[in-house]
Amino acid sequence: MPRLSCMFGVLASRSALVLSAQLNPEPAARLARIEKKIGHRFRKDLSMAEIIAEAERSPRVEAVACQQG
């Protein structure tokens, strides 16, 4: 992981978030439920539900981007 902060840090790259969702599916699901309940997305450009969906359909990410993306 290029950043050592929260497992789902809002500044993390998309690939890092996908990897974190693959490695931590229960916390990701909990955040998706919260996101739905409060009516706000994880980030303006990305919801936790989108991160989870990508994590489920993608092979395990081996490398993650250092920048947003």
Side-chain angles (χ1 to χ4, degrees):
M1 298 291 246
R3 296 179 47 85
L4 297 176
S5 62
C6 301
M7 74 173 80
F8 296 111
V10 296
L11 299 177
S13 66
R14 185 182 191 106
S15 58
L17 292 169
V18 169
L19 176 59
S20 189
Q22 290 172 334
L23 297 173
N24 305 285
E26 291 177 24
R30 184 172 57 244
L31 286 173
R33 288 191 301 272
I34 292 168
E35 183 180 71
K36 185 176 181 178
K37 181 178 180 178
I38 66 173
H40 290 276
R41 295 165 65 89
F42 174 73
R43 282 192 333 212
K44 183 179 175 183
D45 65 332
L46 186 63
S47 73
M48 185 55 64
E50 292 170 326
I51 294 166
I52 292 169
E54 188 170 335
E56 290 173 346
R57 70 175 177 264
S58 300
R60 173 76 50 94
V61 177
E62 297 299 328
V64 296
C66 292
Q67 300 288 330
Q68 293 287 347

